[in-house]
Amino acid sequence: MDSINRQQPEDNHEDLQGNPAVKKLKELAEKAESCFFCTRIKTGEQFSTRPMATLKVDDNGTCWFLSPKDSHKNAEIAVDPAVQLLFKGSTHSDFMTLYGRASINDDKEKIKELWNPLIKTWFTEGIDDPRISVIRFIPLEGYYWDTKHGQIVAFAKQIVGALTGKTLDDSIEGKIKV
């Protein structure tokens, strides 16, 4: 534990597993709506990162994306399916990193389920564009940083802490194991 966390008068660490982990994962991913999608994380080469819209997080914590079949991302996943997702839901909280495995398919039913009209910006032939593939990301583990009571309470605690010279931080963080 670092020196700042040792000064906390209240517990600010909670590791989550199973259903509580999936609930937190889903909450933070849906709040962020998009993430940085990182590939080539285990190749020893410089990893690749790009923003991606998280189109769905299911009840198992699986994250779903649409991607062009001929993208660099898909080619990199085919060689190394280890992927890291980085989420930021707001300026001061709602952070999460997830490690897991990605797979690619062209399931037409899943494409229909994930589709929304704005996606036509990238897939100009619409929902039947032959270039569309589905990326399924299964999280294995991760880490989150959040507030316990929301940003207003967290900010109030920071002000009181600054005035009194005490560490009053409303943050909560911990490992996520799905």
Side-chain angles (χ1 to χ4, degrees):
M1 180 181 293
D2 62 48
S3 63
I4 291 176
N5 287 327
R6 279 194 298 271
Q7 295 176 49
Q8 298 278 7
E10 52 187 277
D11 190 23
N12 68 337
H13 187 96
E14 182 180 11
D15 293 336
L16 303 173
Q17 293 185 36
N19 287 337
V22 170
K23 182 179 175 187
K24 179 58 79 174
L25 182 161
K26 200 169 169 147
E27 171 194 335
L28 295 179
E30 288 174 354
K31 187 168 187 175
E33 297 179 1
S34 63
C35 66
F36 284 107
F37 192 106
C38 308
T39 53
R40 295 188 343 184
I41 62 171
K42 292 191 173 186
T43 62
E45 301 174 46
Q46 181 179 15
F47 63 89
S48 299
T49 302
R50 77 281 292 152
M52 292 284 292
T54 311
L55 298 174
K56 181 179 181 177
V57 180
D58 68 23
D59 291 337
N60 297 318
T62 300
C63 301
W64 298 90
F65 304 86
L66 294 179
S67 175
K69 291 178 180 177
D70 62 350
S71 70
H72 295 293
K73 165 185 10 56
N74 284 31
E76 292 165 357
I77 291 169
V79 172
D80 176 14
V83 170
Q84 180 179 10
L85 305 182
L86 304 167
F87 295 88
K88 179 182 177 189
S90 66
T91 304
H92 301 289
S93 64
D94 313 309
F95 304 110
M96 178 172 57
T97 181
L98 297 173
Y99 293 95
R101 309 219 23 107
S103 60
I104 303 163
N105 67 63
D106 60 357
D107 180 342
K108 299 299 182 198
E109 290 305 311
K110 185 56 85 171
I111 292 168
K112 287 178 184 172
E113 178 185 335
L114 300 174
W115 185 262
N116 74 59
L118 289 177
I119 295 173
K120 192 173 180 184
T121 299
W122 295 278
F123 300 105
T124 55
E125 294 182 39
I127 197 165
D128 295 317
D129 192 315
R131 297 175 300 128
I132 302 174
S133 70
V134 176
I135 296 178
R136 180 177 116 181
F137 172 82
I138 298 174
L140 301 173
E141 62 184 2
Y143 205 85
Y144 74 98
W145 302 265
D146 200 5
T147 60
K148 290 183 248 180
H149 305 102
Q151 291 187 17
I152 293 172
V153 171
F155 185 63
K157 283 184 169 184
Q158 286 177 335
I159 290 171
V160 171
L163 293 172
T164 62
K166 295 183 178 179
T167 301
L168 300 176
D169 182 2
D170 194 53
S171 68
I172 185 79
E173 62 182 286
K175 295 176 184 177
I176 291 176
K177 185 84 170 162
V178 180

